[in-house]
């Protein structure tokens, strides 16, 4: 029984360490950490190779088969690490470009949606207050939260919602969203 308790005590700290390591390896910074580790290894092996070359030039280095193999493997390790580092940097740059392109496209979609929404607000002759309530309705906020966000009474928000629905010729939030989304989807097809 005491063995089980001891293994549980040991496994809890190990579990925390494993969780920490997973957090490090799964984080967005993991590629940068990996790249820095590669640079550190390249620096270490390069310094070791340079010291070996200095010892060779001074005649202090006697080439045995072990030394030759060791020296060759160090050179291969540096070349592999440099290749891996350059590959990681290239992939990080590609990922950054993809993220930037996605952000740009998302902003374009947001702008298109805003334009359609603003056009609908003008077509329906919504007041500024009704427009603000319409946005919050489309976001799915409950009437009480809309009232709280706008610092008005819930009755005022209910009246504004009814007016928005009447002006838009709809009966509910889903219909309001549908009217706007239909125009949005039609504009994106063009």
């Amino acid at each position: 029984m005491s063995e089980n308790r001891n293994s549980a005590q040991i496994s809890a700290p190990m579990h925390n360490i494993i969780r920490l390591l997973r957090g490090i390896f799964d984080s967005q910074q993991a590629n940068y950490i990996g790249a820095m580790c590669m640079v550190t290894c390249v620096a270490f092996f390069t310094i070791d190779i340079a010291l070996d070359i200095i010892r060779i030039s001074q005649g202090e280095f006697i080439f045995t088969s072990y030394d030759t193999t060791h020296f060759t493997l160090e050179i291969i390790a540096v070349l592999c690490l440099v290749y891996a580092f350059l590959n990681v940097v290239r992939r990080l740059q590609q990922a950054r470009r993809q993220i930037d392109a996605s952000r740009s496209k998302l902003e374009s979609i947001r702008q298109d949606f805003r334009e359609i929404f603003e056009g609908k607000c003008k077509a329906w002759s919504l007041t500024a207050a009704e427009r603000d309530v319409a946005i919050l309705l489309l976001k799915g906020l409950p009437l009480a939260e809309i009232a709280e966000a706008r610092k008005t009474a819930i009755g005022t928000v209910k009246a504004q919602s009814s007016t928005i629905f009447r002006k838009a010729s709809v009966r509910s939030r889903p219909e309001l969203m549908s009217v706007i989304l239909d125009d949005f989807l039609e504009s994106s097809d063009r």
Side-chain angles (χ1 to χ4, degrees):
M1 184 158 219
S2 65
E3 271 183 47
N4 288 340
R5 190 177 310 142
N6 286 341
S7 65
Q9 289 172 346
I10 291 171
S11 65
M14 283 303 289
H15 180 69
N16 291 337
I17 291 170
I18 290 169
R19 264 194 356 212
L20 175 69
L21 290 174
R22 278 191 187 138
I24 290 170
F25 290 121
D26 292 341
S27 75
Q28 292 180 355
Q29 304 303 321
N31 289 328
Y32 295 105
I33 293 169
M36 292 310 298
C37 290
M38 283 188 252
V39 168
T40 302
C41 291
V42 166
F44 171 79
F45 283 119
T46 302
I47 290 169
D48 191 38
I49 291 169
L51 292 174
D52 288 345
I53 290 172
I54 290 170
R55 286 184 17 219
I56 291 169
S57 68
Q58 293 175 348
E60 297 174 13
F61 200 80
I62 300 170
F63 272 106
T64 65
S65 62
Y66 170 80
D67 293 330
T68 304
T69 303
H70 177 84
F71 189 69
T72 303
L73 288 176
E74 284 178 340
I75 291 172
I76 290 170
V78 167
L79 294 175
C80 289
L81 285 168
V82 167
Y83 170 79
F85 174 76
L86 293 175
N87 194 29
V88 166
V89 168
R90 184 178 56 83
R91 288 180 185 262
L92 286 172
Q93 289 171 340
Q94 286 174 339
R96 175 58 51 204
R97 283 192 298 272
Q98 288 173 342
I99 288 168
D100 291 343
S102 295
R103 283 185 179 150
S104 176
K105 186 169 186 166
L106 180 60
E107 186 52 40
S108 175
I109 290 168
R110 283 181 178 152
Q111 184 61 35
D112 291 347
F113 189 83
R114 270 187 230 116
E115 288 173 7
I116 289 169
F117 177 75
E118 293 298 330
K120 287 293 186 182
C121 289
K122 285 181 184 175
W124 297 331
S125 302
L126 297 183
T127 65
E130 290 167 346
R131 181 194 165 285
D132 292 345
V133 170
I135 289 171
L136 298 173
L137 286 170
L138 292 173
K139 287 184 176 183
L141 270 66
L143 295 180
E145 286 184 30
I146 294 173
E148 184 180 317
R150 300 202 73 255
K151 296 181 181 25
T152 60
I154 193 165
T156 304
V157 173
K158 284 181 184 179
Q160 289 169 325
S161 298
S162 295
T163 302
I164 293 165
F165 294 158
R166 180 180 47 77
K167 288 180 176 182
S169 301
V170 298
R171 294 181 305 249
S172 65
R173 283 184 206 220
E175 285 183 31
L176 180 65
M177 178 58 94
S178 177
V179 168
I180 295 171
L181 278 179
D182 284 345
D183 281 3
F184 176 69
L185 293 174
E186 284 178 20
S187 74
S188 67
D189 288 341
R190 292 181 212 147

